[in-house]
Amino acid sequence: MQAGSEGRSVSTNTLKRLRGLLSRALGRGREAALWQQMQKLHPWSYTPTHGIAWGRDGTSFPVVIDRARGCRIWDLRGKEYIDYTMGWGTTVLGYCHSEVQKAVRSAMGSAPLLAYPRPIQAEVQSLLERDFPGITGVAFGKNGSDVCTLAARLCRGYTGRKTILYCGYHGWGDFWAEQHGFSRSSIPERHPALIHRFRFNDTGGFMALFEQHRSDLAGVMLEPSGPWGGNDIGCEPDADQGFLETLRLATRSVGALLVFDEIITGYRYLEGSVQRARGVTPDLTCLGKAIASGMPLSALLARGDIMQVAFGKAHYGPTFQAEAWSFAAAKATIEVFHREPVALHVWKQGEALRQGIDEALRVAGIPGHVKGPPFRMSICFGEEQGEIRELQRTLLQQEILRLGVSIYNNGVMLPSYAHDDTTLERTLEVFRAALIIVGRATRDGSLAAKICIPLLREM
Ligand SMILES: Cc1ncc(COP(=O)(O)O)c(C=O)c1O
């Protein structure tokens, strides 16, 4: 190398470093100001470290995110993270998929919302009809909670009964949230309660509850694969075929409706949905999250005469239900699902992630496992004492964020089509390093001393 070119490359590197330092410093100032501004009026935003932006040793944590692409997010200081939260699971394709971006940009040539339906709505309806054969009614919403609430009303309106049995998470609508009681939901409680929970894959438990409520049973609603079971259980496994079939037969035997909440599993499950892969057909299906790759759209699909009988009694009419930019995103997204092996890739990556983290836990000498089907999994520590598990979870979160990997506070991870092999390898390197630290700190009793973010409490 010539002396001159060496000199130039040194100064270019120095310049780059200076630029990096400057942008990090500016990002830090801007972030602090934004954070304070947001906290003033809305202190409830999600941040994995509850607003702690800097560790004692100067490590930065993400508080406000600037941009996202593929499976990566960047904070205001330009620090990059491999992300497994994927916008609360709203994209399976990855952030800013080029075809979805193009479709939305082109739809922006016209207004997002008219009082009249537009052709793009019919196109999305046809795509859903193709993927969920036999549906005779569709209603759209913006959030999963819209269509879960509508599903509950249709169950009640159609059957003339009131009780709903459920398993999984179904949003923040009153019908579901009232199980939390007045003190935690501000929804007036009813006695006797109208909604009751059964455990996933617990056929005996379900049948006992079913027998108790059969005379007033309006519907059974569940996430048909891997629902979140709480911090101690983590993500439940995939469904037993017999469990799903029992639910189908039992509901049919009393004229109640079966609702599959496929808001997570829709287009993430092999063959596009649990119902298609397993051959168990519900009466109502809730879709959301993945169908429009990050744009706000949800859909309620109905079979048979349910809509004719009950829709008119459901008082359902959100203003933004026919918003066209999200339909454009949904059309582009579903067409990619039809053309490319998206779910297969997600399952393959998820399975490799599970095996890699399980192995890293073993090497680090930490009891624990990754639980749940490959499209949505959670890391669960196996220590007996809840306090130790809480410390381990917190230290793991801190250490992986330090190294540039972002997951949910409760250990949940959603791999996507954008998580490629290189990303997977880097993720596993990060987990191996972080779990070694967690393992050592568990053994020498220094977990609490190593943590500089607030404790992630059991929920
Ligand atoms: C299975 C399931 N159903 C319903 C919902 C509620 O959806 P939203 O938050 O869009 O209202 C969620 C959200 O996480 C979900 O995972």
Side-chain angles (χ1 to χ4, degrees):
M1 186 191 283
Q2 288 175 357
S5 69
E6 195 177 11
R8 254 202 316 279
S9 92
V10 169
S11 67
T12 311
N13 285 342
T14 313
L15 263 180
K16 253 195 197 158
R17 251 203 323 274
L18 280 174
R19 227 180 278 135
L21 279 173
L22 188 65
S23 92
R24 272 199 292 282
L26 288 176
R28 186 176 182 169
R30 200 173 133 222
E31 185 174 65
L34 272 175
W35 179 248
Q36 267 170 20
Q37 190 188 333
M38 280 188 293
Q39 284 292 297
K40 206 167 117 198
L41 292 186
H42 185 76
W44 304 281
S45 305
Y46 173 79
T47 71
T49 59
H50 300 277
I52 301 293
W54 297 96
R56 285 187 292 270
D57 60 358
T59 303
S60 70
F61 299 115
V63 174
V64 181
I65 293 298
D66 190 32
R67 66 200 167 88
R69 182 162 287 276
C71 61
R72 287 182 163 70
I73 54 177
W74 287 266
D75 67 17
L76 290 188
R77 304 154 217 163
K79 181 168 169 184
E80 176 180 312
Y81 300 83
I82 299 171
D83 187 35
Y84 287 90
T85 66
M86 299 312 286
W88 302 113
T90 53
T91 177
V92 187
L93 295 182
Y95 299 120
C96 302
H97 188 277
S98 59
E99 289 177 50
V100 181
Q101 299 276 96
K102 199 168 138 212
V104 175
R105 251 185 238 119
S106 145
M108 281 177 157
S110 180
L113 184 71
L114 307 177
Y116 297 87
R118 281 187 278 180
I120 184 73
Q121 177 171 338
E123 290 183 62
V124 173
Q125 284 178 199
S126 303
L127 290 168
L128 293 174
E129 211 174 349
R130 178 197 138 159
D131 292 344
F132 295 82
I135 60 173
T136 57
V138 181
F140 291 103
K142 289 283 123 200
N143 294 289
S145 302
D146 298 354
V147 293
C148 287
T149 301
L150 175 60
R153 288 194 193 164
L154 291 173
C155 287
R156 288 173 174 158
Y158 184 77
T159 60
R161 304 181 202 147
K162 298 195 178 112
T163 301
I164 290 176
L165 308 182
Y166 78 93
C167 172
Y169 176 73
H170 305 297
W172 58 272
D174 283 12
F175 90 94
W176 191 74
E178 74 180 49
Q179 40 131 348
H180 293 307
F182 190 67
S183 62
R184 285 181 54 220
S185 67
S186 305
I187 299 163
E189 288 164 65
R190 284 181 274 196
H191 301 285
L194 294 182
I195 181 151
H196 303 272
R197 175 173 180 260
F198 56 94
R199 281 283 315 271
F200 193 69
N201 276 344
D202 178 4
T203 306
F206 168 77
M207 282 310 294
L209 202 59
F210 171 80
E211 289 303 335
Q212 221 177 312
H213 295 285
R214 60 185 295 151
S215 62
D216 187 47
L217 191 63
V220 171
M221 184 181 294
L222 80 156
E223 286 183 73
S225 176
W228 173 248
N231 275 353
D232 282 341
I233 293 172
C235 291
E236 299 273 14
D238 203 356
D240 294 339
Q241 185 70 17
F243 173 69
L244 294 180
E245 284 170 5
T246 300
L247 267 51
R248 178 62 285 182
L249 287 175
T251 41
R252 197 170 277 147
S253 74
V254 295
L257 301 185
L258 180 63
V259 186
F260 276 6
D261 177 345
E262 298 229 40
I263 283 169
I264 290 289
T265 53
Y267 294 109
R268 272 196 178 85
Y269 206 85
L270 298 171
E271 295 184 44
S273 62
V274 177
Q275 53 197 275
R276 208 159 165 171
R278 299 304 199 86
V280 178
T281 306
D283 303 295
L284 298 168
T285 299
C286 303
L287 295 176
K289 305 251 187 203
I291 58 170
S293 205
M295 289 293 280
L297 187 70
S298 56
L300 186 282
L301 316 180
R303 290 171 197 278
D305 59 341
I306 299 166
M307 294 298 245
Q308 262 82 33
V309 172
F311 190 74
K313 305 189 245 179
H315 188 69
Y316 184 77
T319 299
F320 287 99
Q321 62 187 303
E323 178 265 302
W325 297 356
S326 296
F327 285 137
K331 177 170 181 271
T333 303
I334 297 172
E335 283 173 353
V336 177
F337 290 142
H338 287 171
R339 249 191 358 255
E340 298 181 29
V342 177
L344 260 180
H345 176 92
V346 168
W347 281 58
K348 187 176 134 270
Q349 294 303 101
E351 200 45 58
L353 189 61
R354 174 210 309 286
Q355 282 176 19
I357 296 176
D358 277 354
E359 175 63 9
L361 282 161
R362 198 190 58 73
V363 169
I366 305 171
H369 282 294
V370 174
K371 294 186 180 168
F375 57 84
R376 180 176 62 172
M377 308 169 294
S378 61
I379 305 166
C380 294
F381 290 104
E383 286 286 342
E384 283 209 347
Q385 286 181 51
E387 292 141 50
I388 307 263
R389 291 198 303 269
E390 196 169 279
L391 289 165
Q392 288 177 322
R393 211 173 50 248
T394 308
L395 185 57
L396 175 68
Q397 176 72 304
Q398 174 181 303
E399 294 307 306
I400 61 173
L401 282 171
R402 184 197 297 283
L403 295 169
V405 169
S406 144
I407 66 173
Y408 282 96
N409 274 351
N410 57 10
V412 168
M413 295 175 296
L414 293 134
S416 78
Y417 198 42
H419 289 83
D420 58 15
D421 290 346
T422 316
T423 309
L424 176 74
E425 201 31 62
R426 175 63 194 149
T427 305
L428 291 177
E429 266 172 34
V430 167
F431 270 99
R432 284 193 281 267
L435 285 167
I436 291 288
I437 293 172
V438 176
R440 279 201 199 119
T442 308
R443 284 187 290 278
D444 68 19
S446 66
L447 281 167
K450 288 204 161 52
I451 290 170
C452 50
I453 63 176
L455 274 189
L456 308 179
R457 298 274 171 210
E458 298 264 354
M459 287 183 291

